[in-house]
Amino acid sequence: MRTYPHLPVRSAAALFLLAGLTLFFHARPAAAQGDDLEVVLVKPNFYMIAGAGANIGVQIGPDGVVLVDAGSSAKTAQVLAAIKKLTDEPIRYIINTGPDADHVGGNEAISKAGRTIIPLADTLSVDLGIRMTSGGAAPVLAAEGVLLRMSAPTGQKSPYPSEAWPSETFNNKQKAMYMNGEAVVTMHEPAAHSDGDSIVFFRRTDVIAAGDILDTMRFPIIDVAHGGSINGEIDALNHLIELTVPPVPWVWREGGTYVVPGHGRICEQSDVVEYRDMVTILRDIIQDMLKRGMTLEQIKAADPTKPYYQYGSKTGPWTTDMFVEAVYKSLTAKK
């Protein structure tokens, strides 16, 4: 496990400093074999674990540990070991920002490794207690769409065992709780990456975990088959921008709201604005091509994403063509 400090980049001086730090980190001894996670200090009580699938947010305090996402099932043992190195406090909550396997794969094992806030002995009956506390495990919170994607109608095979499902769900705009001396607000972002997306705002720490609404490594994945849409994605990015505060007027100091993306590096408001602008420009270009009567194949051939090649890929689970096709389908879907 490698532990990296977080350093925002805001000026030419900061760029030189970051270059020096990069050389320093590259010179450090390699992580132990099989331990390929990176733990990044975001704020004094908040960390990001990278390399376990989706980025995992870790809030630590006297009430225990609140996790945002659980990573993939293959990395669960490493994630638990990394958390143990940060604190001896128990895991109290897991909040899922979406239903994808790299976010929820570790739900079952990490939940069982945690501990509910409600003691079983204090409940009205053993049966009620087990249902209220997930058998003593840490509860998993998510928007209702996550539960629908992870479960299945009666008589059909579920993609995940019931122990991995969210034990607490909500279907309104947000779900709030108070943990470790601050409000933790989970906000549903409908029809963005999918129909089950949420962002999680740690208000006092001033950190937002954005899930796959923000992915600094690629174009956003728009899962049209499961309720995602390009306009919902842009709406969610705009909401993120509204919630964040830049480090103005002390732009050379560390400060402002930090955003933990589903994948990639920690961001500030300016980074989210840049990403939102890129997605909006591409949406508008493809929309204009549609108005001119161009087919999907003609749009792909015109390569509207070329100015933003750094987010694209010709291979892998999410290619540039798949992004263009998702935007096309989203814009041509019947209202």
Side-chain angles (χ1 to χ4, degrees):
M1 180 185 73
R2 290 168 285 181
T3 304
Y4 290 173
H6 167 59
L7 181 67
V9 179
R10 301 194 186 96
S11 64
L15 283 170
F16 284 118
L17 179 58
L18 181 60
L21 284 172
T22 301
L23 290 173
F24 168 73
F25 287 135
H26 285 174
R28 296 183 65 185
Q33 187 174 6
D35 187 5
D36 52 356
L37 303 187
E38 294 180 3
V39 178
V40 181
L41 176 63
V42 183
K43 291 287 181 76
N45 66 321
F46 198 98
Y47 296 82
M48 179 184 82
I49 298 176
N55 288 334
I56 298 173
V58 186
Q59 183 221 37
I60 297 173
D63 295 334
V65 179
V66 177
L67 296 181
V68 180
D69 288 321
S72 64
S73 58
K75 298 290 186 176
T76 297
Q78 290 183 46
V79 170
L80 289 172
I83 295 168
K84 190 66 176 175
K85 290 181 180 179
L86 297 175
T87 180
D88 290 327
E89 296 291 339
I91 296 168
R92 295 295 197 181
Y93 259 96
I94 301 168
I95 304 173
N96 289 152
T97 61
D100 295 334
D102 57 346
H103 293 259
V104 304
N107 274 5
E108 181 180 359
I110 294 178
S111 174
K112 289 179 178 177
R115 191 161 71 242
T116 179
I117 292 171
I118 306 171
L120 282 170
D122 291 345
T123 53
L124 297 176
S125 71
V126 173
D127 180 60
L128 177 61
I130 290 173
R131 285 187 281 117
M132 287 179 63
T133 66
S134 302
V140 179
L141 171 67
E144 189 176 57
V146 175
L147 176 60
L148 295 176
R149 289 274 300 278
M150 294 182 68
S151 57
T154 303
Q156 297 184 22
K157 183 175 175 57
S158 168
Y160 294 91
S162 59
E163 291 84 358
W165 300 351
S167 54
E168 296 183 20
T169 61
F170 66 101
N171 58 9
N172 49 0
K173 288 185 178 180
Q174 64 182 45
K175 175 81 171 179
M177 59 176 142
Y178 199 79
M179 290 289 293
N180 295 317
E182 70 175 319
V184 181
V185 187
T186 304
M187 306 176 187
H188 184 214
E189 301 293 339
H193 156 64
S194 71
D195 57 7
D197 297 310
S198 295
I199 62 175
V200 187
F201 189 10
F202 294 83
R203 293 205 315 201
R204 187 170 184 173
T205 303
D206 205 12
V207 171
I208 302 174
D212 280 347
I213 288 167
L214 180 64
D215 185 336
T216 65
M217 301 179 72
R218 56 190 170 188
F219 294 118
I221 298 175
I222 309 297
D223 190 352
V224 178
H226 293 101
S229 70
I230 186 62
N231 287 325
E233 168 71 15
I234 293 169
D235 288 344
L237 289 169
N238 282 328
H239 188 206
L240 264 180
I241 293 166
E242 290 171 4
L243 292 172
T244 55
V245 177
V248 174
W250 307 101
V251 293
W252 55 88
R253 295 182 183 174
E254 287 201 31
T257 309
Y258 291 153
V259 181
V260 175
H263 300 268
R265 60 180 176 81
I266 296 166
C267 296
E268 297 176 328
Q269 188 194 67
S270 59
D271 301 306
V272 183
V273 169
E274 182 179 351
Y275 194 83
R276 185 277 314 271
D277 289 350
M278 175 270 294
V279 176
T280 303
I281 289 168
L282 293 180
R283 186 273 313 268
D284 291 348
I285 290 173
I286 294 172
Q287 197 163 42
D288 180 68
M289 290 177 168
L290 282 168
K291 289 179 180 178
R292 289 189 275 128
M294 294 177 67
T295 66
L296 174 59
E297 292 308 315
Q298 288 172 332
I299 292 172
K300 287 181 180 179
D303 197 10
T305 64
K306 188 175 182 178
Y308 302 102
Y309 69 91
Q310 68 269 32
Y311 295 105
S313 175
K314 293 182 178 180
T315 60
W318 186 246
T319 65
T320 301
D321 277 354
M322 292 167 70
F323 169 70
V324 172
E325 186 172 345
V327 175
Y328 176 91
K329 288 181 177 179
S330 179
L331 294 174
T332 57
K334 293 182 179 179
K335 306 290 183 178

